Amino acid sequence: AGAAMAAVRDVEIDPDGTFKYILVRLQRPGGEEQRDIVRGTKAAEFHNHIFEKVNPEMEKLGYECKCLGGGKIDHNSKDKKIRVFGLSTGYGKADHSVTVEILKKVYTDYEITWSDDKK
């Protein structure tokens, strides 16, 4: 079970631009094992569009998904900077500090910051 969970990428976000993101908790039904993942894309007009894509993918792998909140990501791959900010109207604000820790695992050489700013 641990291997399957490890196969799920921590982060899937667009390589550039400003877009919505959500923090999602994966859990095995009835299991103790859980982890949080970050998903974000410009293709999503609303935060729930991201969840509606992630949820069935994860259910196929045998996970229950819970959205812990959302916000926005400003990703500048040229300058190697990511800024996490804002909130989701539907899901509420994700804990951006948690999001940043997850992003740091993947974007190890980036400057990653967060704030509660709306813009």
Side-chain angles (χ1 to χ4, degrees), residues 15-80:
D16 265 299
T18 303
F19 45 85
K20 293 181 167 67
Y21 93 88
I22 56 172
L23 186 60
V24 179
R25 175 154 293 161
L26 302 183
Q27 196 157 8
R28 287 275 181 215
E32 290 298 299
E33 191 192 8
Q34 60 177 42
R35 65 181 268 225
D36 298 341
I37 60 170
V38 175
R39 295 291 182 268
T41 176
K42 278 184 280 218
E45 190 184 348
F46 300 106
H47 287 91
N48 63 309
H49 293 168
I50 307 172
F51 189 72
E52 283 161 13
K53 184 178 173 293
V54 174
N55 197 33
E57 289 173 4
M58 296 304 147
E59 281 181 344
K60 276 188 201 127
L61 298 170
Y63 299 114
E64 288 173 349
C65 288
K66 182 180 173 211
C67 184
L68 302 178
K72 286 186 172 169
I73 288 176
D74 184 9
H75 188 177
N76 183 332
S77 58
K78 188 168 71 73
D79 295 342
K80 297 200 171 190

Side-chain angles (χ1 to χ4, degrees), residues 71-95:
K72 286 186 172 169
I73 288 176
D74 184 9
H75 188 177
N76 183 332
S77 58
K78 188 168 71 73
D79 295 342
K80 297 200 171 190
K81 284 185 179 176
I82 294 177
R83 185 168 72 98
V84 183
F85 64 102
L87 53 84
S88 159
T89 315
Y91 295 121
K93 186 176 80 70
D95 185 338

